[in-house]
Amino acid sequence: MGIKNLKRLQTALVVGTVSVLGTTAGWAKDVKVAYIPCGQVNDGSWSEAGYDGVKAAKDALAKSGTNITIDYSENLSPSQAEVAARDYATKGYQTVILHCGTFANAAYNAGKDFPNTNFLIVVAPKSVKNVWTYIPAMQDISFVAGYLASKMSKSGAVGVVASFNFSNITWQAEGFRLGARYGNPKIKTYSNYINSFDDAGKAKEAAQAEIDSGADVIYSATDQASRGIYAAAETNGNFAIASYSDQSKLSPKTVLASALANIPLLVENMVTGSVDGKLVADKIYSVGMAGGIGELALNPELSKTIPPEVAKEVQTLMASIKSGQIKIPAISEPGQSEQYDLNGLKPK
Amino acid sequence: MTLSSLIELSFWIPLLAAGVRVATPLVFASLGEAVSERAGILNVGIEGMMALGAIVGFLVAYWSGHSWVGLLAAAMAGLVASLIFGFLTIFRGADQIVTGIVMNILLLGLASFAYASIFSSAHVVAQLTAIPVFRVPWLSDLPIIGRPFFAQSPIVYAVYLLIPVFWLLLEHSHWGLSVRAAGENPEAVDSAGINIWYLRLQAVSIGGAMAGLAGAILAVVQIGAYVDGMIAGRGFIALAIVVFGGWRPWRVAAAALLFGVVDAFQLRLQVSGVPIPSPFLIGMPYILTIVVVAFVAGRAGYPAAINKPYPLRHFAQDPKVDTG
Amino acid sequence: MNANVDAAVTDRRRPIVLGVGLVLASMALTGLVLLPIGINPIGAYAQILKGAFGSINALTEDLVYATPIILTSLSVILAFRCGLWNLGSDGQLYLGAIATVGLGFNRFGLPGPALLPAMAVAAFAAGAVWAALPAVLRLRFGASEVIVTIMMNFLAVTIATYLVGGPWASGITPATAPIVPDGFLPVLMPGTRLNANFLVAIAAAAILSFVLRRTVFGYRLRTIGQNIDAARYAGMPVNRIRFLSFACAGGLAGLAGFGEVAGIYHNLPNGLSPGFGYTGIVVALLARLNPIWAVIVALALAALNVGSGGMQRAMGIPVSLVSIMEAVLILLVLSTRLLERRA
C-alpha cells in the first residue's frame, strides 16, 4: 500500500510537471473514482441517475484540470459491495461512491479500514471521518408532484405505488399524498407498497388496484418496476408521474411529468467536493429543493394538457419550497400524511 | 375507502379480473411444466426460461414491431433452452434439480447480459404499444364473471383455448398416455417399444416452450417492456401451481387463478385503507399453497419416476433399488 | 419424491485428468463468448486468479463468501442423505438471521459474553423450526417438500422485509437497526471481514462427517437414504430420524444467517441472501454429498466468484457474464456425470 502511494505520487509528479509545461491551468491531477450503484448504470432510473452525476462531475473537474477515470460495478449484493469498495480502495481509488441505501454498512466498514479513501454513501445515518452520506430529500419534489396530480385529477383521487416501506421511499410516497391534499383538501389518496424494485407485473396490479378505486393519476416510487405502472396507466387512459429521471420518453402518452431529485446534480456535487477535498467533516448532505435538488420535468407532449393557472401555481409552490417558506415534513409511516395538519404547511 | 367496501361487488369483480391477469403467464408456464413432470422430468429451471422468453420476446417484438412474432421467438428460445436441459438430464443422467438451478443461473445471466449489452448506449427504450382489451360481445356483459373473464387482453382468450388442448393432449391422446406412463412406469413404456428418452425430450420441450412463452407474455403483452428481474419468482410459483393443481390441466388453471386472486388481494387491501398489511397477509398465496399441497393435492404425489434418469441402453447397469 | 442417494455417493474415484480437462473446456467455451465482445480471455482468466488469490484481502474474501455456502450445502447434504430435498435453506437462513438480529438488540439484557452463543443457538433453533414444518408436512401428509420449502423461502423473505421496513427499522437505511457490539462475531484477521463463523462452518462440516460415518444415527440415516424399506424392516424409527435430520439441516442453514448478521452486516439488510441456498444445493451435489468435499467445492466456487468480481472490476465486464461463465462450467461438469460414474 505504501509502495502504491509512492508510485501514485511519482506518476502525479510526472503528469503534473508535463501539464504545467503544456497548460496554464497549473497542477493537473489524475484521479480514479469508482461507482457502485444498486442496479445497472443503464436502468433508466436510480442507478443511471447517479451515474449521470458521476459523469457530470468528471466533466466539471476536467475544466479545472483534474482528470477522472470512472469505473463501476453493477448489481451487487450488500456484501459484494463491501468487497468491491475495499478492492477499489486497495487499488488506490480516491473516491468510492456507493449509490444504494443497502450499502451503508459497506461504506462504514470500508471507511474504517481505508482512511485514505473517500467514501460517499446515499441515505445513511451519519457522516464520519472519511465517509459522507448524501440524502436527496425527495419529499419536496414529491409534494409538488402530488400537488400537480391533485389539480390534474378529474376523479378526485390519486395514488402512489412504491417499492418498499423504507424511510426515504416512504418520505416520497407520503410527500406525494400530502402534496395532493394541499392542492385539494378533499382529494382521496392511495398508496401501495409492492416489496420489490423490479417486479413490474406487481407494480402494474398495484396501479390497477388504485385505478379501479378511482385514482386517475399515479405517482411512481418504484425504480425500474415503474414500467408496470405505465402499462396500467396506458390501458386505462390515465396519467403517471415518474421519479428519479425523466421518463417521459418511455411512455410519451402517459408520463405527465417526472419528479427529478436531481440525483445527478447531488452526486456531481458530492464527487467534485470529494475529489477537491472540499467536503465538510461529519456533515450529512441532506439536500432538498432549497439546495437545488428537486425539479419537475414536464413531458413536452403532454404539457399542453396542463391549464396555465395550474402551471403557474406549481411554479409558485416550487419557489416557496425552494426559499424555505414551506417546509415539507419527512413522513416515515405510511398513511400518516392523511392526518397531517395542512395548516402546518402555510407559507411563513 | 374503508374496510366496509370489502363486502361490495365493486371490490371483488375487479379483484377477480386482476386474478385472471396475474394467473395468465402462470397458466402458460404451469401447463407446460405439468406435461414435463407427468413424463418424469422436474424442471426447476422454468424461472430462467421465463426470463429468456421475456428478453427474447421483447427484443424480437421491439425490432419487428409485432408482438406475436416476439411471442413465437420466445417460445423457440424456451424450447432451445429446454433441449439443453433435457439433454443433460435425460441423456446424461444429471440430477434434474441441480441442473434446473444451474439453468436458472445461466439464463437469468444471459437475459441480463443481453439487455445490458444491446441497450447500453441508446438507453431510451419506449414501452411497446399495449394490445387493447377485447370485450367479447354478450359474454362480457354477464353479471360478475363477465368483466373478469371476457373483457381482457386477447392472450387470456388464448389460455381458454389452451387448457382444453392440454387436457385433450395429456389425458385423451395416445401421446399423452405414453407420457403419463413414462412418468409412472418407464420400464413399461420401454418394453412397449417406445423411445422413452425421445418422448421425455418432447415433453420437456413443451414445458420449455411454454415457459418461454409465459415470460414473453409478461414482458411483451402485459408490461410492454423488459425489466431485469421481472420474473420475480413466478417460475417457482408455477412449480407449486402444478402440484397445487394435481398435474391436471383444468385444476392447474384453477389453481393459478386462485393464486392470482389471493396475490392481488393484499394490493387491493392496501388501497382500501390497510396501510401496511402484515407479512402473513402478503404471504397469503404461499401459505395457501402450502395448505393445499399438504392437505389436498400433495397426497397424489409426484409421478413415481420423477428425477430418476432412465438408463441409456448402451450402458450396462444393475437395476437401481427403489428408495421410494 | 425421494432422492436417489445411492448413485450419488458410491463412486469415489474421480480422475484428476477429467477434472482438469473440464476446466480447460469451460475456459475455452467462455473464451468464445468473451472474444466477440473484444475481451482477451487469457487476460480475463488471469484477472480471476488475481482477484481470488492476489492478496491477503482476496483470500479472506474467499473464505467469507464460502462460509454461508458451506453451511447451506451441509444443510442440503444432511437432508439428502436421508432421502429428502431441502430447497428451503435460503428461507431457513433468513429465519436464522431474524432470530440473530432479534436477540442481537439485547433487549433482554443478557450479560455480554452470553449474547453471542445465545444468538447462535437461537439462529439454529429458528432455522430448525422453519425446516420442521415442511418435514412434518412431508412425513405425515406426503406433501412435497420441494414445493413447501420453496414457498417457505418466499414467506421468510416477506417476514424479513416487513421487519426491516417496520418494527425493527433503522430509521433511514433499508436495514434493521444495528445489533449491540457484544453480539459481533470476533474477526479472525484484523483489517479483513473474516470472522469466526468460518470456523463454525468448518467445525460443522467435520461434525457432520463424523456423525454420518461413525455414529449409529449416521448409519441409520444413510441406510434410510439408500434403502428405506430395509431400514423399516430393520425396525429403525424412520420418520423420527428423518424429521430430526431435516430439522437439523434447517438449523445449519440458520447458522449461515447467524454468521451473516453477527459477522458481516451487524444488522439485517434488505437482500441479505443472493441465493446462498440454491448455490448450496449445487455445491452439495457437486461434492457428491460428502461434507468434507463440500467445504472444498464451496471454497472453489467462492474463489471463482470473488475472482470474477475482481475481473469484472478490472475489465469492465458486466456482472451477468460472470454468472454465465460459472453456469457453463457447472453444466459441463454435469454433462460428464454419467460417464464418470461408469468409469
Side-chain angles (χ1 to χ4, degrees):
Chain A
M1 184 81 173
I3 299 174
K4 265 211 170 78
N5 275 338
L6 197 62
K7 273 218 165 95
R8 272 184 62 208
L9 191 57
Q10 282 179 327
T11 316
L13 276 170
V14 169
V15 170
T17 316
V18 168
S19 43
V20 160
L21 294 174
T23 70
T24 55
W27 193 274
K29 285 202 297 179
D30 268 321
V31 169
K32 286 193 290 186
V33 153
Y35 175 62
I36 310 176
C38 289
Q40 285 177 280
V41 298
N42 68 332
D43 68 353
S45 188
W46 175 264
S47 304
E48 182 170 335
Y51 189 55
D52 287 341
V54 182
K55 285 193 286 185
K58 178 184 167 106
D59 294 334
L61 286 164
K63 292 200 189 89
S64 60
T66 307
N67 178 34
I68 311 188
T69 9
I70 307 171
D71 286 308
Y72 59 82
S73 292
E74 303 168 300
N75 275 337
L76 300 178
S77 74
S79 182
Q80 292 169 319
E82 188 171 337
V83 177
R86 288 167 170 268
D87 192 40
Y88 284 127
T90 321
K91 295 201 169 87
Y93 282 68
Q94 197 263 358
T95 298
V96 178
I97 304 128
L98 292 115
H99 190 66
C100 192
T102 46
F103 298 166
N105 273 345
Y108 295 130
N109 291 342
K112 243 185 287 172
D113 289 334
F114 295 94
N116 293 326
T117 309
N118 285 353
F119 295 91
L120 304 175
I121 173 71
V122 70
V123 184
K126 57 188 193 289
S127 292
V128 53
K129 297 217 184 90
N130 58 329
V131 182
W132 284 269
T133 178
Y134 59 99
I135 304 174
M138 279 213 59
Q139 62 271 23
D140 287 356
I141 194 62
S142 301
F143 187 88
V144 176
Y147 183 86
L148 175 64
S150 69
K151 294 295 182 188
M152 296 296 290
S153 169
K154 295 191 186 69
S155 62
V158 297
V160 50
V161 176
S163 48
F164 288 95
N165 178 23
F166 299 148
S167 300
N168 61 317
I169 299 168
T170 313
W171 296 343
Q172 271 188 270
E174 293 298 305
F176 172 82
R177 297 174 75 182
L178 192 61
R181 282 184 62 213
Y182 187 76
N184 175 1
K186 288 205 206 67
I187 201 156
K188 283 195 240 165
T189 67
Y190 307 128
S191 75
N192 224 329
Y193 292 84
I194 60 171
N195 279 353
S196 169
F197 290 123
D198 41 32
D199 192 345
K202 230 190 190 92
K204 179 180 174 199
E205 285 306 324
Q208 190 65 47
E210 295 178 348
I211 293 172
D212 285 341
S213 294
D216 60 355
V217 183
I218 310 289
Y219 182 48
S220 161
T222 48
D223 221 0
Q224 312 97 282
S226 58
R227 301 294 211 142
I229 299 173
Y230 307 149
E234 191 181 335
T235 314
N236 293 271
N238 295 132
F239 286 138
I241 300 180
S243 282
Y244 312 133
S245 60
D246 186 348
Q247 305 194 351
S248 50
K249 290 203 189 61
L250 296 181
S251 193
K253 290 196 265 314
T254 51
V255 177
L256 176 67
S258 303
L260 303 180
N262 296 107
I263 288 169
L265 180 63
L266 180 56
V267 173
E268 179 192 341
N269 291 343
M270 292 303 294
V271 174
T272 44
S274 171
V275 173
D276 283 338
K278 293 210 179 75
L279 291 178
V280 177
D282 296 345
K283 176 173 171 180
I284 296 177
Y285 284 83
S286 172
V287 192
M289 281 179 73
I293 299 305
E295 233 177 73
L296 205 61
L298 297 175
N299 180 355
E301 274 184 49
L302 293 174
S303 56
K304 302 174 214 76
T305 60
I306 304 177
E309 332 74 77
V310 172
K312 245 181 73 187
E313 284 170 29
V314 170
Q315 290 301 322
T316 318
L317 177 62
M318 287 175 70
S320 306
I321 302 178
K322 267 204 188 94
S323 65
Q325 281 184 309
I326 305 182
K327 286 211 195 334
I328 313 298
I331 301 174
S332 311
E333 241 349 280
Q336 257 181 14
S337 61
E338 293 182 295
Q339 274 94 40
Y340 195 85
D341 185 2
L342 289 174
N343 289 321
L345 293 167
K346 288 252 168 12
K348 295 177 193 55
Chain B
M1 259 255 182
T2 59
L3 283 170
S4 63
S5 63
L6 277 180
I7 52 172
E8 289 167 32
L9 277 179
S10 59
F11 178 86
W12 293 99
I13 295 179
L15 173 60
L16 193 55
V20 173
R21 283 191 302 268
V22 173
T24 301
L26 291 175
V27 173
F28 272 86
S30 308
L31 284 177
E33 176 64 11
V35 171
S36 177
E37 289 184 14
R38 284 304 262 290
I41 310 285
L42 174 62
N43 183 4
V44 180
I46 310 179
E47 177 91 0
M49 292 182 194
M50 285 177 74
L52 183 69
I55 185 65
V56 168
F58 175 73
L59 285 174
V60 174
Y62 186 73
W63 284 323
S64 69
H66 297 290
S67 301
W68 64 268
V69 180
L71 294 181
L72 206 63
M76 290 199 294
L79 192 120
V80 170
S82 64
L83 284 177
I84 299 174
F85 174 77
F87 169 72
L88 289 171
T89 52
I90 300 170
F91 296 95
R92 277 281 178 264
D95 180 86
Q96 289 169 14
I97 294 191
V98 173
T99 311
I101 291 173
V102 181
M103 287 297 289
N104 279 341
I105 300 173
L106 175 70
L107 295 172
L108 285 165
L110 255 170
S112 178
F113 180 69
Y115 189 75
S117 314
I118 293 171
F119 290 111
S120 57
S121 43
H123 60 251
V124 178
V125 188
Q127 306 267 113
L128 297 173
T129 27
I131 301 172
V133 162
F134 177 73
R135 294 192 125 86
V136 179
W138 185 75
L139 282 172
S140 62
D141 292 319
L142 287 171
I144 300 181
I145 62 168
R147 264 182 55 210
F149 289 100
F150 300 108
Q152 294 277 16
S153 160
I155 200 74
V156 173
Y157 308 135
V159 170
Y160 300 159
L161 288 171
L162 271 176
I163 302 170
V165 164
F166 270 80
W167 173 67
L168 286 171
L169 183 69
L170 207 47
E171 315 264 353
H172 295 280
S173 78
H174 193 72
W175 184 85
L177 183 61
S178 314
V179 160
R180 284 180 285 128
E184 300 287 350
N185 192 347
E187 287 86 8
V189 173
D190 193 19
S191 341
I194 299 173
N195 184 332
I196 185 170
W197 307 274
Y198 189 50
L199 183 68
R200 282 180 162 174
L201 196 62
Q202 289 171 340
V204 81
S205 307
I206 290 178
M210 292 294 278
L213 209 48
I217 287 168
L218 185 63
V220 173
V221 177
Q222 295 194 327
I223 305 295
Y226 172 82
V227 174
D228 231 15
M230 71 185 303
I231 307 299
R234 286 172 173 79
F236 293 105
I237 303 292
L239 286 175
I241 287 177
V242 172
V243 179
F244 193 140
W247 294 271
R248 299 166 98 95
W250 289 103
R251 293 189 204 170
V252 164
L257 179 61
L258 183 58
F259 193 94
V261 168
V262 177
D263 198 40
F265 182 70
Q266 60 95 1
L267 292 173
R268 293 182 175 256
L269 218 57
Q270 286 192 47
V271 175
S272 290
V274 180
I276 284 291
S278 90
F280 292 103
L281 197 59
I282 299 177
M284 190 63 75
Y286 314 124
I287 298 175
L288 177 68
T289 305
I290 292 173
V291 168
V292 172
V293 164
F295 300 110
V296 180
R299 287 179 180 280
Y302 274 92
I306 204 101
N307 205 7
K308 290 197 180 128
Y310 194 71
L312 292 171
R313 195 83 70 203
H314 31 284
F315 291 102
Q317 186 189 347
D318 301 324
K320 284 285 174 231
V321 178
D322 186 21
T323 62
Chain C
M1 188 195 91
N2 277 312
N4 189 338
V5 178
D6 200 25
V9 300
T10 44
D11 189 358
R12 300 205 177 279
R13 269 187 209 298
R14 194 181 314 155
I16 311 278
V17 174
L18 186 62
V20 170
L22 271 174
V23 173
L24 288 175
S26 85
M27 283 169 71
L29 220 80
T30 50
L32 288 174
V33 179
L34 291 172
L35 281 170
I37 57 175
I39 296 176
N40 171 14
I42 307 294
Y45 300 136
Q47 282 295 336
I48 294 181
L49 287 174
K50 191 161 163 229
F53 305 116
S55 66
I56 300 286
N57 196 56
L59 287 167
T60 57
E61 283 300 331
D62 296 338
L63 301 182
V64 164
Y65 194 87
T67 304
I69 297 176
I70 293 172
L71 285 164
T72 53
S73 72
L74 292 176
S75 166
V76 172
I77 289 173
L78 180 53
F80 207 103
R81 282 295 194 120
C82 60
L84 297 169
W85 270 107
N86 182 16
L87 289 171
S89 45
D90 236 24
Q92 291 140 20
L93 188 157
Y94 268 99
L95 262 291
I98 290 171
T100 307
V101 158
L103 269 190
F105 299 138
N106 205 6
R107 301 216 181 109
F108 303 113
L110 287 166
L115 188 59
L116 209 51
M119 286 157 71
V121 170
F124 188 92
V129 164
W130 207 244
L133 182 65
V136 165
L137 293 179
R138 165 64 211 271
L139 296 170
R140 187 84 163 72
F141 300 103
S144 163
E145 75 275 19
V146 169
I147 298 300
V148 176
T149 50
I150 291 179
M151 292 295 106
M152 305 275 293
N153 284 347
F154 283 115
L155 213 52
V157 174
T158 308
I159 296 173
T161 307
Y162 168 77
L163 289 170
V164 168
W168 291 355
S170 68
I172 185 136
T173 54
T176 63
I179 60 177
V180 302
D182 276 334
F184 289 19
L185 270 167
V187 174
L188 295 177
M189 194 173 292
T192 71
R193 302 194 305 162
L194 183 60
N195 60 73
N197 209 43
F198 175 70
L199 299 175
V200 170
I202 302 291
I207 294 173
L208 184 61
S209 180
F210 178 80
V211 165
L212 283 174
R213 295 202 311 171
R214 298 217 192 278
T215 67
V216 174
F217 181 81
Y219 167 73
R220 289 179 172 173
L221 206 151
R222 283 183 290 124
T223 310
I224 294 171
Q226 287 167 329
N227 190 341
I228 195 167
D229 293 317
R232 286 204 182 104
Y233 188 71
M236 296 186 192
V238 168
N239 274 1
R240 192 170 355 133
I241 293 176
R242 283 178 129 188
F243 175 78
L244 229 67
S245 306
F246 206 80
C248 286
L252 284 170
L255 282 179
F258 163 75
E260 294 301 286
V261 170
I264 304 284
Y265 297 106
H266 304 141
N267 63 27
L268 179 60
N270 193 42
L272 171 67
S273 170
F276 288 135
Y278 294 106
T279 311
I281 297 171
V282 175
V283 168
L285 270 292
L286 284 178
R288 297 173 153 277
L289 305 182
N290 182 318
I292 306 300
W293 269 106
V295 173
I296 297 173
V297 174
L299 284 169
L301 217 64
L304 184 60
N305 215 285
V306 171
S308 305
M311 174 194 75
Q312 186 265 318
R313 283 189 291 279
M315 306 186 77
I317 302 172
V319 151
S320 45
L321 191 59
V322 166
S323 310
I324 298 172
M325 287 166 51
E326 289 175 1
V328 166
L329 172 60
I330 301 174
L331 286 176
L332 277 173
V333 171
L334 287 171
S335 70
T336 67
R337 254 350 190 184
L338 196 56
L339 287 172
E340 272 187 295
R341 258 184 256 154
R342 298 288 176 270

